[in-house]
Amino acid sequence: MTKISRNAFCPCGSGKKYKKCCLGKTITQSEVAGNRLALQKKFREQNADKKIVFIEQDDDEMMKMSEIILDFASELLRVSDTKQRKEKSLMLAIAAWNIALTEEGKYEKHIEDCLRMMGFEESSVKWQGAFDVLESLIYKKQTKYASITRSIVDFNFTGTRDGGYLNVISSMPASCTAGRNVEGV
């Protein structure tokens, strides 16, 4: 269970400090769902000028990408003891997921670019460790999740008393949009 610092921003999304907002309250599933809807609304507003298709998930056959990513990143998340470390673990896992969807001969360049953007110092022990983690996650994506070709566009991790809740915005293969409730932006 992740403990939320009193001075951290409240996971309910109010923008207030946790101690002045939800300290002592239990975050409910409806509040988590509200956070998901707020994230979707924010993403739609930020990308209003782009042609993006949103698909409302209404069947049980399609597994949620948040569940897939949590499974994919499970080893990293298991050793992450704070919300900040869980977010960094998810960032690494999502970077590896998206890199695995690119051209195979360019993985090393993409990994190096990713590590630079994340602020790792080249040739350091942390650089090499993160590089190795990304390579192993790419291999895991290729072997265990090879049939899933959806890239991750954005994510939000909300710390809760039970550990956390992940919201993911992902791409969708065009073949999956036929016959579904689709909203174009």
Side-chain angles (χ1 to χ4, degrees):
M1 174 159 60
T2 303
K3 183 175 180 185
I4 303 167
S5 167
R6 291 173 46 83
N7 290 316
F9 286 106
C10 191
C12 77
S14 67
K16 298 178 185 176
K17 297 258 181 159
Y18 179 61
K19 66 184 177 188
K20 301 261 184 190
C21 191
C22 291
L23 180 66
K25 296 179 187 174
T26 302
I27 298 174
T28 65
Q29 280 302 109
S30 64
E31 289 170 317
V32 169
N35 289 344
R36 179 179 51 82
L37 294 173
L39 178 65
Q40 289 174 347
K41 181 180 177 190
K42 177 183 167 191
F43 182 78
R44 289 174 194 219
E45 289 169 357
Q46 289 175 341
N47 296 284
D49 59 331
K50 299 176 181 101
K51 187 156 180 93
I52 297 176
V53 176
F54 288 88
I55 299 175
E56 302 300 325
Q57 183 176 338
D58 58 0
D59 63 35
D60 294 330
E61 291 178 23
M62 185 176 11
M63 191 169 180
K64 292 172 60 176
M65 282 304 293
S66 57
E67 294 169 359
I68 294 168
I69 294 299
L70 287 172
D71 182 60
F72 178 67
S74 60
E75 290 88 2
L76 290 175
L77 294 171
R78 219 180 342 267
V79 296
S80 301
D81 57 353
T82 66
K83 181 180 184 246
Q84 185 178 19
R85 287 184 177 159
K86 288 183 187 303
E87 286 175 337
K88 191 154 194 156
S89 294
L90 287 166
M91 254 190 276
L92 279 172
I94 288 169
W97 181 276
N98 287 337
I99 290 169
L101 295 172
T102 64
E103 189 178 331
E104 194 165 336
K106 298 184 179 182
Y107 290 167
E108 188 171 329
K109 180 191 178 316
H110 291 310
I111 292 171
E112 290 171 354
D113 291 345
C114 174
L115 293 177
R116 278 188 209 98
M117 286 189 328
M118 292 179 82
F120 286 92
E121 187 178 321
E122 277 189 65
S123 303
S124 69
V125 173
K126 286 185 178 183
W127 172 282
Q128 190 57 51
F131 193 97
D132 293 344
V133 166
L134 285 168
E135 276 191 326
S136 66
L137 285 169
I138 289 168
Y139 177 77
K140 182 178 180 180
K141 163 67 176 92
Q142 292 170 326
T143 55
K144 188 174 178 186
Y145 304 93
S147 65
I148 304 170
T149 59
R150 296 164 64 182
S151 62
I152 307 303
V153 178
D154 198 3
F155 79 97
N156 178 294
F157 179 75
T158 304
T160 66
R161 289 205 165 102
D162 299 329
Y165 186 82
L166 178 65
N167 291 309
V168 172
I169 298 175
S170 65
S171 66
M172 179 64 76
S175 61
C176 292
T177 61
R180 293 187 179 272
N181 181 14
V182 176
E183 175 188 332
V185 173

